[in-house]
Amino acid sequence: MKRSIPILITTAALLSLSFAGVARADSQGPITFENYGLGSVNAQFGWSSTGTYDQSVVAQGRFAAFGTQSLRISSAVTSGAFGDQTFSPGLSDPVGEGMTARHFDATFQIGTTQNGVQPGLHLNVSPDDGNGGRMSYLRFDDETDGVHVYFDDVTDASFGTVAIFNETDIATLDRTTAHTARFSIGVYSGPANDVVRVYIDGALRAVGTTWEDYYRYDPEQSGSGNQIPVIDKLGFFERGVAASAAPDGGFLIDNVALSSTAATTACEFSTPGTTMTLVANCTTDQTIAVPNGFTLDGNGHSIIAIDPTGDHFRGAVIQASGPARTNVTGLTVSASNLTDACDAGPAGLRGILFDGVGGTISNNIVTDIEQGANDGSGCQEGNGIEVRNTAGVAMPSLTISGNTVNDYQKTGILVRDKVSAVISDNTVTGDQKIIYIAQNGIQVSYGATAQLLSNVVTGNWYTPKSYVACGLILYKAGGVSGAKNGLSSLSSQFTGNENDVCNYGKGGSYSPLG
């Protein structure tokens, strides 16, 4: 018997986090129920529901995306059992440790049968082996302000210890519309390293672990030899307290789709608490966004941006947005043979971008942030590390320290807008004497201020003389009391640049090295 989930509610504000796709190995759906018979879904097209639960395929006209028929499930009948609950058709290639398939993806749409609250209505949905071997968990609770979505992952440190189920309220859904939920799960050999991402209506709302270590270590699972289940189905569970349902009450389920793949090409992270640790070197064709308050620990691994099929990489390889503090450390970030139209605006190419967010960018290697298969692009983009404050609101303090930045296209380290940063102990190296773009090592601009301490900046040199490359460029900087032209202190080494220091927009006479 598997333990019921304890109620421990926390909240987490997560940003959109995008990852590269995977090639299909096996799939089911999308299942629309349009060709199903009305009544119990049991034994229809691979579905099973052998208990006495209040479930049926029904005619519906409530949500256009659901067509004319959907699966309805209510909490009128509940049970502590597992194997007789409602299960989708299975995949022929299940996902699990020791299996060929290591990535599971499942999407379904959900809505309520009524606009008003149905007291006590709930539904648990889990990636499962069809016997109640739940490997992740979402619970939908109909409450006064909408349908709350709770996500549970599990932590368990060692054999014989009792697992801790960590529950987070990740979304509140409007009952007047249908919503899309998605599990994306990467399975890896060994403990505490599976990665679960939960998306609601296309936005990432939770990043956590599977329940692997509950099965691996918890004494409750000793009777089954602490075997970790595979994943090949979605289970729709009605457990806990039963609630009387109005005629035809409950949830409507539609457009169910499952797939398994041999491997994921996405960048994968283990996520204990609020630290995202990169599992291995990887490539990505989409921006990886770090949630508010999280630390991305590269753990010595690298992320390479590549051109996606049918589009071109644009934006930041790593991105964080405020106002919380976020940290990125121990990572190598680069791009590979990018070709794209120029975009010097907010969508331009960057290695690491913080927008309105404080924290630290420390001890990273940022390299080859350039457009063009053979470099040589004159596009005014390609900043190694960029911190901006688009909204212009107060933001936490920020430190950029200990980074190595080279082979950038336009600027090594850029701070702009209402940003106040400590920039220290970085090594910033330009491409020496080049003819296609005027590089700048460090730029402080548009009201930003900075303390520059113990940086080494060299090799920024543009051979045509109509424009000048600068080791340090100040452009319309300043705006903080005590900061002269954007610099409150300067103790750095600028050598071997066309101009070591350039000052524009504040009278042009200030020489911080003079």
Side-chain angles (χ1 to χ4, degrees), residues 6-22:
I7 302 300
L8 174 61
I9 299 176
T10 60
T11 58
L14 301 184
L15 301 181
S16 174
L17 181 59
S18 299
F19 296 86
V22 293

Side-chain angles (χ1 to χ4, degrees), residues 39-245:
S40 174
V41 76
N42 184 50
Q44 294 202 60
F45 297 97
W47 284 81
S48 65
S49 185
T50 57
T52 59
Y53 304 102
D54 181 29
Q55 56 77 18
S56 60
V57 177
V58 297
Q60 77 85 38
R62 180 166 167 77
F63 303 118
F66 285 12
T68 62
Q69 294 187 175
S70 298
L71 174 62
R72 183 190 62 81
I73 304 176
S74 87
S75 305
V77 178
T78 63
S79 169
F82 291 92
D84 67 349
Q85 300 271 352
T86 304
F87 293 97
S88 74
L91 298 168
S92 59
D93 293 320
V95 172
E97 293 190 19
M99 309 299 291
T100 300
R102 293 298 189 95
H103 190 92
F104 176 82
D105 206 287
T107 302
F108 61 96
Q109 290 188 287
I110 186 169
T112 58
T113 59
Q114 301 174 18
N115 286 346
V117 62
Q118 299 177 64
L121 177 64
H122 58 269
L123 177 66
N124 307 341
V125 184
S126 291
D128 199 276
D129 63 356
N131 297 300
R134 298 174 295 173
M135 284 290 281
S136 189
Y137 175 97
L138 287 178
R139 188 176 77 254
F140 297 83
D141 281 1
D142 196 3
E143 303 180 23
T144 55
D145 58 341
V147 176
H148 284 245
V149 185
Y150 298 94
F151 168 70
D152 287 79
D153 72 356
V154 172
T155 53
D156 198 344
S158 60
F159 184 78
T161 60
V162 175
I164 299 172
F165 292 84
N166 313 296
E167 183 158 276
T168 307
D169 186 346
I170 63 172
T172 302
L173 308 182
D174 181 357
R175 283 185 290 268
T176 63
T177 61
H179 301 272
T180 301
R182 176 189 169 205
F183 289 98
S184 178
I185 300 176
V187 173
Y188 298 89
S189 298
N193 61 358
D194 292 351
V195 181
V196 179
R197 303 182 190 90
V198 176
Y199 299 81
I200 303 294
D201 293 329
L204 183 78
R205 295 302 185 95
V207 181
T209 64
T210 66
W211 291 16
E212 60 170 328
D213 285 350
Y214 162 63
Y215 296 99
R216 177 179 278 115
Y217 296 138
D218 196 297
E220 193 172 65
Q221 290 298 313
S222 61
S224 60
N226 290 100
Q227 294 296 307
I228 302 170
V230 298
I231 307 170
D232 64 354
K233 298 181 180 181
L234 274 184
F236 298 84
F237 294 83
E238 284 294 353
R239 306 183 75 243
V241 178
S244 59

Side-chain angles (χ1 to χ4, degrees), residues 313-337:
F313 189 91
R314 173 168 284 169
V317 182
I318 308 295
Q319 180 170 342
S321 298
R325 292 177 59 84
T326 297
N327 307 298
V328 175
T329 187
L331 180 68
T332 297
V333 178
S334 62
S336 177
N337 296 336

Side-chain angles (χ1 to χ4, degrees), residues 4 148 166 349 405 420 502:
S4 298
H148 284 245
N166 313 296
L349 175 65
V405 186
S420 180
C502 306

Side-chain angles (χ1 to χ4, degrees), residues 333-358:
V333 178
S334 62
S336 177
N337 296 336
L338 304 185
T339 56
D340 203 353
C342 294
D343 190 337
L349 175 65
R350 291 93 161 200
I352 300 173
L353 171 65
F354 276 25
D355 192 345
V357 61

Side-chain angles (χ1 to χ4, degrees), residues 472-509:
L472 167 66
I473 181 170
L474 306 174
Y475 183 76
K476 296 183 180 179
V480 175
S481 176
K484 188 175 184 180
N485 294 305
L487 296 181
S488 56
S489 62
L490 174 65
S491 175
S492 295
Q493 181 180 352
F494 294 87
T495 62
N497 303 287
E498 185 177 7
N499 276 17
D500 285 332
V501 178
C502 306
N503 184 27
Y504 303 105
K506 286 286 186 179
S509 61

